[in-house]
């Protein structure tokens, strides 16, 4: 009774109402200054408690106004609820709630949807608990004879299920889903397609979390889905497909008995006339490929599935319009700043070189299928089909080729460019999975693709760049004049293409080629630099950022070969010119700093003339960021948080300088407060900041330890607390820095051993530790043992076995050398510690190609000592367990 009385009491004041309507009209104006004044007026009106009553009144009662204005009034109210709901007087919030429930069945779909949005916003402000009648009331309204009421209530319920799924399944609300889910299932058979679609969408919210209430009804749910499989409404088919894809992840057991039919069904849906349905269905193949049953489930269907996926990889007409596929030359048109994606800086991680090639990256996903279209909504049927083909190629390997090759022949030489383009994408998508089977065809295909690089259609040229980069590894393995040289020549022309999309694809492809070819590129350096430097003057904003990456990768790949006066003269002026143009707040500094870091490391002494201003600016960036962070911490309302990426990238460039310049960086360090700044960075709460500061600590330790040494007592405890393998990269860099410090400290390392040794031994024995971290941990344990054998040797037995297995695969180098000297020294202190695992030690020794003479003597001494100790007969019994290659190497090199 109370409530209805209150409703009678509140009536809008006519003048106030007109004022608000005027505001709502103005806010629909395109003019930005009008928009701004409307925003200010709205803020002022929020001072009045009953302002929100006016807004709900316009939405639900003022039927004389046009619908967009009424809806807008509701959306402004929604924003107020979001921002200030806790300050609404209870009279106001009660009025809003009752108006919402009374008007959820408004005859206008727009008004119903707006009321639904308002309801879910109030519900998600923690109000599900304080609005106990909401869910029962909405569920009751589902049974209404009036379509609008039923649809409005379902629309609201769907939004609540999306926004508040977790709380609906918690004890806080007395588990309403036990009633709601069976209720939703009843509506799968409703005669209105819109309602059927709402019902599935509501239930779908609870699949991934394996909600108990749904799991109890899983079989009727699946039966109901099958019943709707061929519904005439696309939205229903889309929700059915989405449900099946999620069930594949969480309840495969329930789908397996029906799998043959589901696969047949999904094959049809992947070809649905409605692209949204086709896209949802196509996700099925991606998800299935991750399941162990994929091979047995799909092997009989490959001949049907392959053409369907390949067909989905063609650009649709709408794609081509959106991609401006008919505009061939756009290099002079400046970029739209909104299109430039934020780049993520990958902080520095210290890794070991392995036998055979350069550094092995843990994350080698740069060439995934994101080759094209940033203008199209990012995920579409073309990309999904290509990604599915990629993962299936990895599951079925060359078995897939039987079905692909006949199609490819037809596509690759097709007269229509759209078809030919899709064939080139197919070729790239299968590159990883079907590499072995493709090799016989590559001598013919690669020259054909190199020809396609000069196709008259830009979209064909750009996809060809990407596909060729997927075969770069093979190209580089052949004699350079056969494929590498023609490919490189054409790719460099594409870097200077008149189409921006082609420039971008060519630059990315070239970076991949650089990584694969490494020093094979040295003979062509002048030619490559010519092109890259010319691109500087040609590129618009977005591609400039990719160009930095191509230059940085080139420097990483050819290393010191870049250090020739004529190359430096070409490359440095444009880089430094950009460097001077950019302000300290400009995010374009990130890729430029990364690029300079690679260049400094490669040029070494050649970078000296540029090093002082670069060093100074990096130190300033770190200092500014730290200062801003401190201001923000003390007065968060006054100062906003800084973007710490500036500091991370600057620390990484300082590492690059220290690594490239070595001892010559000493005077710069002496004249700056970098060590104080590093001490703060090492304690930052953001892991990436700590990760980069530990890398810099290690590099400065190698370059100019005299400046680091006075701080060691402060630094070591921090390093000790960061040996937490949950944060792999932080832990890795801290471990490496400890190893570098111990080499410099020598016996003076003794007081710090206890701070770090136990953690390191624990990490080396942990299962599933990434290879890079294991190797660095082993090296650091070895180095600690080298400088303080008495402290470390007693623990030998606890780490010798994983120590040996993790270091057998890395190249001979300084770090490996010092680590093995450490192990030998510890074995001489505690020979008993190695006895049980001696075969592992033998294997690790045999992994050396050519150790220094005195290290070889140490190995000899230990091997012969062990042999003499156990006696000839025991030794031959022991060495009979060795694999043949190991036996031969030890006999040849060490005479045992």
């Amino acid at each position: 009774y109370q409530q209805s009385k209150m409703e009678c009491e509140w009536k809008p004041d006519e003048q106030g109402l007109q004022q608000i309507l005027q505001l709502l009209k103005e806010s629909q104006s395109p003019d930005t200054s009008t928009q701004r004044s409307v925003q200010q007026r709205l803020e002022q009106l929020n001072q009045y408690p009953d302002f929100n009553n006016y807004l709900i009144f316009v939405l639900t009662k003022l039927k004389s106004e046009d619908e967009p204005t009424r809806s807008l009034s509701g959306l402004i109210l929604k924003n107020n609820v979001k921002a200030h709901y806790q300050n609404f007087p209870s009279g106001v919030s009660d009025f809003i709630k009752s108006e919402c429930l009374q008007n959820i069945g408004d005859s206008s779909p727009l008004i119903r949807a707006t009321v639904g949005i308002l309801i879910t916003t109030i519900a998600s402000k923690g109000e599900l608990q304080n609005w106990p009648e909401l869910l029962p009331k909405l569920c009751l309204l589902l049974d209404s004879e009036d379509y609008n009421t039923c649809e409005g209530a379902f629309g609201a319920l769907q939004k609540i299920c999306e926004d508040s799924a977790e709380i609906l399944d918690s004890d806080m609300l007395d588990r309403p889903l036990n009633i709601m889910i069976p209720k939703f299932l009843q509506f799968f058979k409703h005669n209105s397609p819109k309602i059927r679609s709402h019902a599935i969408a509501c239930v779908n919210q609870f699949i991934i979390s394996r909600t108990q209430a749904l799991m109890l009804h899983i079989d009727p749910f699946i039966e109901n889905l099958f019943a709707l499989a061929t519904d005439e409404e696309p939205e229903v088919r889309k929700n059915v497909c989405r449900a099946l894809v999620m069930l594949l992840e969480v309840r495969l057991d329930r789908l397996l008995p029906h799998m043959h039919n589901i696969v047949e069904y999904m094959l049809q849906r992947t070809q649905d006339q409605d692209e949204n349905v086709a896209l949802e269905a196509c996700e099925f193949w991606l998800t299935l490929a991750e399941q162990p049953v994929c091979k047995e489930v799909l092997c009989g269907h490959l001949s049907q599935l392959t053409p369907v996926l390949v067909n989905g990889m063609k650009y649709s007409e709408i794609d081509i319009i959106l991609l401006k596929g008919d505009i061939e030359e756009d290099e002079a048109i400046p970029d739209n700043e909104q299109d430039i994606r934020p780049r993520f800086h990958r902080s520095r991680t210290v890794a070991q070189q392995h036998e055979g090639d350069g550094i092995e990256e843990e994350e080698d996903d740069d060439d995934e299928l994101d080759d094209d279209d940033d203008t199209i909504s990012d995920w579409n049927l073309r990309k999904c089909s290509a990604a599915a083909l990629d993962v299936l190629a990895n599951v079925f390997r060359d078995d897939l080729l039987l079905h692909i090759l006949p199609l490819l022949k037809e596509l690759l030489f097709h007269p229509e460019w759209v078809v030919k383009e899709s064939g080139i994408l197919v070729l790239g998508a299968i590159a990883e999975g079907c590499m072995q089977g493709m090799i016989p065809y590559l001598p013919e295909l690669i020259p054909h693709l190199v020809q396609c690089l000069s196709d008259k259609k830009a979209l064909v040229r750009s996809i060809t760049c990407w596909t060729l980069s997927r075969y770069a590894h093979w190209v580089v393995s052949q004699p350079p004049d056969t494929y590498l040289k023609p490919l490189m020549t054409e790719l460099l022309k594409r870097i200077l293409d008149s189409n921006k999309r082609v420039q971008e694809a060519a630059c990315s492809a070239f970076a991949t080629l650089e990584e694969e070819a490494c020093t094979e590129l040295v003979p062509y350096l002048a030619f490559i630099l010519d092109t890259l430097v010319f691109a500087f003057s040609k590129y618009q904003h977005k591609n400039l950022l990719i160009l930095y990456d191509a230059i940085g990768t080139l420097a990483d790949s050819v290393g010191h070969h870049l250090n020739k006066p004529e190359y430096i003269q070409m490359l440095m002026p444009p880089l430094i010119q950009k460097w001077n143009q950019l302000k300290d707040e400009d995010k374009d500094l990130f890729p430029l700093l990364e690029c300079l870091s690679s260049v400094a490391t490669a040029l070494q002494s050649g970078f000296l003339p540029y090093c002082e201003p670069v060093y100074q600016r990096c130190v300033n960036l770190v200092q500014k960021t730290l200062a801003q962070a401190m201001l923000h911490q003390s007065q968060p309302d006054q100062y906003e948080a800084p973007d710490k990426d500036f500091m991370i990238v600057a620390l990484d460039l300082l590492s690059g300088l220290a690594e490239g310049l070595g001892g010559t960086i000493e005077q710069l360090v002496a004249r700056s407060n970098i060590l104080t700044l590093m001490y703060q960075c090492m304690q930052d709460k953001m892991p990436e900041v700590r990760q980069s500061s530990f890398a810099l600590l290690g590099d400065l330790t190698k370059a100019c330890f005299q400046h680091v040494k006075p701080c060691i007592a402060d630094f070591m405890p921090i390093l000790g607390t960061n040996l937490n393998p949950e944060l792999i990269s932080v832990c890795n860099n801290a471990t490496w820095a400890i190893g570098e410090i111990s080499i410099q400290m020598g016996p003076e390392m003794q007081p710090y051993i206890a701070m770090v040794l136990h953690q390191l031994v624990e990490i080396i024995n942990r299962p599933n530790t990434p290879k890079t971290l294991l190797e660095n941990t082993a090296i650091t344990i070895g180095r600690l043992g080298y400088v303080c054998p008495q402290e470390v040797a007693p623990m030998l037995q606890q780490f010798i076995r994983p120590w040996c297995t993790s270091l057998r695969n890395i190249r001979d180098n300084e770090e490996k050398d010092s680590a093995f000297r450490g192990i030998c020294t510890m074995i001489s202190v505690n020979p008993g510690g190695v006895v049980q695992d001696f075969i592992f030690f033998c294997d690790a020794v045999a992994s050396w190609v050519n150790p220094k003479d005195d290290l070889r003597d140490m190995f000899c001494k230990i091997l012969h000592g062990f042999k003499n100790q156990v006696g000839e007969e025991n030794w031959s019994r022991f060495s009979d367990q060795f694999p043949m290659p190991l036996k031969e190497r030890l006999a040849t090199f060490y005479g045992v």
Side-chain angles (χ1 to χ4, degrees):
Y1 173 74
Q2 198 63 49
Q3 194 179 2
S4 57
K5 184 169 140 234
M6 135 108 216
E7 281 167 27
C8 304
E9 281 168 18
W10 193 84
K11 288 277 185 298
D13 165 64
E14 196 46 45
Q15 218 180 344
L17 189 58
Q18 287 315 314
Q19 212 184 342
I20 283 173
L21 287 171
Q22 180 60 32
L23 253 188
L24 291 169
K25 293 277 188 291
E26 283 176 23
S27 71
Q28 294 170 57
S29 140
D31 173 50
T32 41
S33 61
T34 314
Q35 288 282 348
R36 225 171 293 146
S37 78
V38 168
Q39 268 325 102
Q40 285 167 343
R41 305 253 293 289
L42 287 174
E43 281 307 306
Q44 288 158 4
L45 286 168
N46 264 318
Q47 311 305 312
Y48 300 99
D50 66 349
F51 170 49
N52 294 300
N53 287 2
Y54 281 93
L55 292 174
I56 189 84
F57 181 85
V58 175
L59 172 66
T60 59
K61 293 262 202 291
L62 206 58
K63 309 269 160 109
S64 54
E65 278 303 316
D66 61 292
E67 287 177 11
T69 302
R70 289 171 57 201
S71 170
L72 186 62
S73 180
L75 294 175
I76 291 173
L77 176 54
K78 174 208 71 164
N79 291 334
N80 286 348
V81 167
K82 255 196 166 132
H84 315 293
Y85 190 74
Q86 64 286 356
N87 307 331
F88 283 18
S90 63
V92 174
S93 45
D94 289 343
F95 182 50
I96 293 172
K97 286 175 178 176
S98 74
E99 280 299 301
C100 281
L101 284 177
Q102 279 170 29
N103 291 278
I104 190 71
D106 193 282
S107 59
S108 147
L110 179 62
I111 300 297
R112 288 202 297 275
T114 311
V115 172
I117 290 173
L118 192 48
I119 288 177
T120 188
T121 310
I122 295 173
S124 62
K125 289 300 278 185
E127 281 296 295
L128 270 176
Q129 297 94 298
N130 306 339
W131 193 357
E133 66 274 24
L134 173 64
L135 294 172
K137 176 80 185 199
L138 289 175
C139 285
L140 195 64
L141 294 174
L142 293 183
D143 296 322
S144 162
E145 292 299 307
D146 174 44
Y147 167 78
N148 292 338
T149 305
C150 175
E151 196 279 324
F154 239 136
L157 280 165
Q158 183 181 331
K159 295 183 185 89
I160 292 170
C161 290
E162 285 167 12
D163 295 342
S164 308
E166 277 162 41
I167 196 166
L168 287 174
D169 188 33
S170 69
D171 286 325
M172 292 171 77
L173 296 178
D174 197 19
R175 304 216 173 258
L177 290 178
N178 295 338
I179 298 157
M180 287 162 67
I181 283 182
K183 180 102 184 161
F184 295 152
L185 290 175
Q186 293 167 11
F187 284 87
F188 277 37
K189 303 208 167 65
H190 195 276
N191 57 11
S192 150
K194 188 107 201 257
I195 296 217
R196 295 197 295 273
S197 173
H198 279 315
I200 309 177
C202 284
V203 180
N204 280 359
Q205 296 306 319
F206 303 102
I207 299 177
I208 290 293
S209 57
R210 298 188 171 81
T211 301
Q212 187 60 39
L214 175 56
M215 293 303 134
L216 291 172
H217 297 91
I218 197 80
D219 290 330
F221 174 49
I222 292 174
E223 276 162 44
N224 275 324
L225 285 175
F226 289 164
L228 294 176
T230 51
D231 201 282
E232 80 276 8
E233 170 66 30
E235 198 58 28
V236 173
R237 297 197 301 272
K238 186 180 100 177
N239 281 327
V240 169
C241 291
R242 184 174 288 176
L244 289 170
V245 171
M246 291 189 285
L247 287 167
L248 198 55
E249 278 185 56
V250 300
R251 288 310 301 261
L252 182 61
D253 56 316
R254 289 328 242 179
L255 296 186
L256 275 177
H258 316 282
M259 214 49 174
H260 180 79
N261 295 343
I262 295 176
V263 169
E264 292 285 331
Y265 172 66
M266 285 298 189
L267 272 168
Q268 286 176 317
R269 288 289 74 82
T270 308
Q271 305 169 76
D272 202 286
Q273 290 309 293
D274 184 300
E275 184 175 330
N276 293 321
V277 179
L279 178 56
E280 283 296 338
C282 195
E283 297 278 354
F284 181 81
W285 314 113
L286 263 180
T287 306
L288 184 56
E290 289 165 7
Q291 304 291 338
V293 295
C294 176
K295 225 171 172 164
E296 86 193 66
V297 166
L298 278 186
C299 59
H301 300 275
L302 277 186
S303 57
Q304 300 157 276
L305 176 57
T306 311
V308 171
L309 290 177
V310 167
N311 200 30
M313 288 162 74
K314 286 202 293 279
Y315 276 125
S316 64
E317 286 171 32
I318 183 85
D319 289 347
I320 294 167
I321 295 167
L322 286 171
L323 282 172
K324 309 189 177 63
D326 50 343
I327 300 179
E328 294 297 322
E329 293 196 19
D330 61 359
E331 63 174 344
I333 304 169
D335 292 332
N336 178 357
E337 293 298 312
Q338 276 83 17
D339 290 347
I340 299 177
R341 295 201 183 140
R343 287 179 77 272
F344 294 102
H345 170 70
R346 199 185 280 168
S347 311
R348 209 175 167 93
T349 311
V350 186
Q352 295 301 319
Q353 301 262 312
H354 291 82
E355 280 312 324
D357 60 11
I359 288 179
E360 277 185 29
E361 286 282 340
E362 298 273 320
E363 324 152 275
D364 189 22
D365 292 336
D366 287 354
D367 55 356
E368 285 302 307
L369 292 150
D370 53 3
D371 49 286
D372 51 16
D373 359 314
D374 348 326
T375 33
I376 299 196
S377 71
D378 273 348
W379 194 237
N380 54 21
L381 184 60
R382 167 188 163 87
K383 289 191 173 181
C384 189
S385 306
L389 195 63
D390 184 358
V391 290
L392 289 170
N394 278 300
V395 172
F396 287 99
R397 301 277 163 192
D398 296 344
D399 297 348
L400 191 69
L401 278 183
L402 298 172
H403 309 285
I404 292 264
L405 284 172
L407 300 170
L408 265 178
K409 287 199 180 69
E410 200 178 312
L411 299 171
L412 286 172
F413 299 94
H414 200 281
E416 280 180 54
W417 76 265
V418 177
V419 180
K420 175 172 159 183
E421 193 277 347
S422 72
I424 298 171
L425 173 57
V426 169
L427 200 55
I430 60 171
E432 199 187 338
C434 304
M435 193 52 150
Q436 277 322 103
M438 283 307 295
I439 287 176
Y441 306 98
L442 292 179
E444 182 188 348
L445 276 175
I446 298 294
H448 174 63
L449 286 172
V450 170
Q451 264 184 315
C452 293
L453 281 175
S454 42
D455 193 277
K456 60 180 198 303
K457 291 302 289 182
L459 288 171
V460 173
R461 299 198 298 277
S462 60
I463 197 65
T464 306
C465 291
W466 177 76
T467 292
L468 278 163
S469 74
R470 301 268 287 177
Y471 291 96
H473 187 75
W474 181 83
V475 167
V476 171
S477 70
Q478 305 300 303
D481 283 353
T482 331
Y483 307 106
L484 178 62
K485 203 171 168 186
L487 169 58
M488 194 176 60
T489 313
E490 282 308 308
L491 257 185
L492 288 170
K493 287 183 195 162
R494 292 294 67 84
I495 285 180
L496 304 178
D497 200 277
S498 58
N499 179 280
K500 292 193 289 191
R501 177 180 308 281
V502 180
Q503 296 171 357
E504 174 184 3
C507 250
S508 303
F510 196 72
T512 306
L513 186 65
E514 290 169 338
E515 284 173 354
E516 291 290 352
C518 292
T519 47
E520 296 278 342
L521 297 178
V522 172
Y524 316 107
L525 263 174
F527 182 39
I528 294 170
L529 285 170
D530 242 350
T531 305
L532 297 179
V533 169
F534 188 67
F536 255 111
S537 57
K538 191 177 169 75
Y539 276 12
Q540 298 293 344
H541 185 180
K542 180 180 173 191
N543 287 350
L544 210 49
L545 307 184
I546 298 164
L547 181 63
Y548 294 142
D549 182 53
I551 291 172
T553 309
L554 180 67
D556 295 337
S557 305
V558 299
H560 64 92
H561 297 285
L562 199 55
N563 189 8
K564 288 216 170 77
E566 62 272 31
Y567 298 156
I568 297 176
Q569 215 24 61
M570 293 167 77
L571 184 57
M572 287 309 295
L575 285 174
I576 292 297
Q577 187 198 349
K578 291 286 176 204
W579 168 264
N580 291 331
Q581 281 170 4
L582 292 175
K583 305 225 181 331
D584 277 354
E585 304 63 59
D586 194 326
K587 293 215 164 102
D588 285 8
L589 272 177
F590 301 166
L592 179 55
L593 286 159
E594 284 177 51
C595 170
L596 282 169
S597 175
S598 298
V599 170
T601 309
L603 290 185
Q604 298 177 340
S605 59
F607 198 78
L608 267 175
Y610 308 97
C611 122
E612 184 153 7
V614 172
Y615 179 91
Q616 264 337 108
R617 186 169 192 180
C618 287
V619 173
N620 285 342
L621 281 168
V622 175
Q623 188 148 11
K624 265 182 148 166
T625 313
L626 284 172
Q628 178 78 21
M630 283 173 74
L631 284 172
H632 171 70
Q633 213 166 352
S634 56
Q635 297 160 288
D637 335 332
Q638 305 286 304
Y639 299 96
E640 52 185 80
D643 181 342
K644 289 193 177 167
D645 277 352
F646 285 103
M647 173 155 79
I648 295 167
V649 183
L651 290 166
D652 286 346
L653 176 44
L654 288 168
S655 283
L657 291 175
E659 194 182 337
L661 299 170
T664 37
I665 201 172
E666 184 272 321
Q667 293 143 323
L668 293 172
V669 174
R671 293 201 296 270
S672 70
N673 59 342
I674 186 65
L675 287 155
T676 318
L677 297 174
M678 262 169 54
Y679 180 61
Q680 290 172 272
C681 292
M682 288 162 63
Q683 300 174 79
D684 196 277
K685 50 181 189 303
M686 186 174 179
E688 292 77 5
V689 175
R690 302 201 300 277
Q691 171 184 339
S692 293
S693 56
F694 295 143
L696 178 56
L697 173 59
D699 282 315
L700 289 179
T701 297
K702 290 171 82 165
C704 52
F705 189 63
Q706 67 270 42
H707 296 304
V708 179
K709 192 171 181 182
C711 311
I712 289 299
D714 293 323
F715 288 173
M716 281 306 300
I718 301 175
L719 286 165
T721 52
N722 277 280
L723 297 176
N724 163 17
E726 296 305 312
L727 294 169
I728 290 168
S729 302
V730 178
C731 183
N732 180 66
N733 289 3
T735 302
W736 174 74
I738 293 168
E740 291 298 339
I741 289 169
S742 58
I743 291 294
Q744 301 290 339
M745 293 283 283
E748 291 177 56
M749 195 67 186
Q750 191 266 327
Y752 306 111
I753 302 279
M755 290 180 187
V756 298
L757 185 59
H758 282 278
Q759 292 97 300
L760 293 169
V761 172
E762 208 169 296
I763 291 166
I764 203 170
N765 283 295
R766 253 176 115 236
N768 307 328
T769 306
K771 196 167 64 190
T772 308
L773 179 54
L774 277 179
E775 290 162 359
N776 277 320
T777 306
I779 285 171
T780 293
I781 292 175
R783 290 176 149 190
L784 291 169
Y786 180 51
V787 295
C788 300
Q790 298 298 339
E791 278 66 31
V792 187
M795 297 190 68
L796 196 53
Q797 196 178 341
Q798 293 175 45
F799 61 75
I800 185 72
R801 190 169 179 165
W803 191 94
C804 293
T805 47
S806 59
L807 291 187
R808 64 187 299 278
N809 296 322
I810 69 168
R811 283 196 202 167
D812 295 8
N813 64 13
E814 281 305 311
E815 303 193 348
K816 185 169 174 175
D817 179 273
S818 54
F820 271 84
R821 287 170 192 273
I823 272 294
C824 294
T825 314
M826 288 189 276
I827 290 174
S828 62
V829 171
N830 175 17
V834 71
V835 172
Q836 290 176 326
D837 299 303
F838 199 68
I839 186 166
F840 291 93
F841 175 72
C842 297
D843 178 56
V845 166
S847 77
W848 277 87
V849 184
N850 37 16
K852 294 186 183 153
D853 290 344
D854 58 338
L855 181 60
R856 176 173 306 196
D857 294 343
M858 293 169 100
F859 292 157
C860 247
K861 212 160 143 190
I862 292 175
L863 291 169
H864 284 278
F866 188 82
K867 184 177 169 177
N868 298 338
Q869 188 130 30
V870 297
E872 197 65 56
E873 192 181 328
N874 283 334
W875 174 261
S876 54
R877 232 180 316 182
F878 173 64
S879 62
D880 281 345
Q881 309 164 29
F882 291 3
M884 218 41 224
L886 174 58
K887 220 171 170 163
E888 284 167 4
R889 282 192 82 137
L890 290 177
T892 317
F893 285 100
Y894 303 100
V896 291

